[in-house]
Amino acid sequence: MNSNQATNEVDDMREEYDFANMKGCVRGKYAKEFSGNVTTVLLDSDVAKIFPDSASVNEALRTLARVLSR
């Protein structure tokens, strides 16, 4: 959230949490994975049981695309 945005939220962060001095944290650590042409899709729970990861979903969709293009 930008600091110049007005908000009605209560800041309930404890004072002892000093994120500026945390060690081992990397800002944007996974940003490269989401750069480029990536679309996030939510799967229904029954579908997610069949396709546990993005590789299996992509493989199934590519197979379906090949079948449909014939």
Side-chain angles (χ1 to χ4, degrees), residues 24-35:
C25 296
V26 178
R27 184 179 177 116
K29 182 176 182 177
Y30 300 103
K32 284 192 280 184
E33 294 181 29
F34 295 101
S35 65

Side-chain angles (χ1 to χ4, degrees), residues 44-70:
D44 290 338
S45 60
D46 58 329
V47 177
K49 288 178 186 175
I50 299 168
F51 301 104
D53 56 20
S54 61
S56 61
V57 173
N58 287 330
E59 181 182 348
L61 289 173
R62 286 185 182 107
T63 302
L64 179 61
R66 282 192 299 271
V67 170
L68 292 176
S69 67
R70 292 182 184 172

Side-chain angles (χ1 to χ4, degrees), residues 5-37:
Q5 290 180 332
T7 180
N8 294 331
E9 294 181 18
V10 176
D11 184 8
D12 59 353
M13 185 64 64
R14 294 181 180 178
E15 291 181 17
E16 62 263 25
Y17 294 146
D18 184 9
F19 294 107
N21 293 320
M22 290 186 77
K23 304 254 189 260
C25 296
V26 178
R27 184 179 177 116
K29 182 176 182 177
Y30 300 103
K32 284 192 280 184
E33 294 181 29
F34 295 101
S35 65
N37 196 10

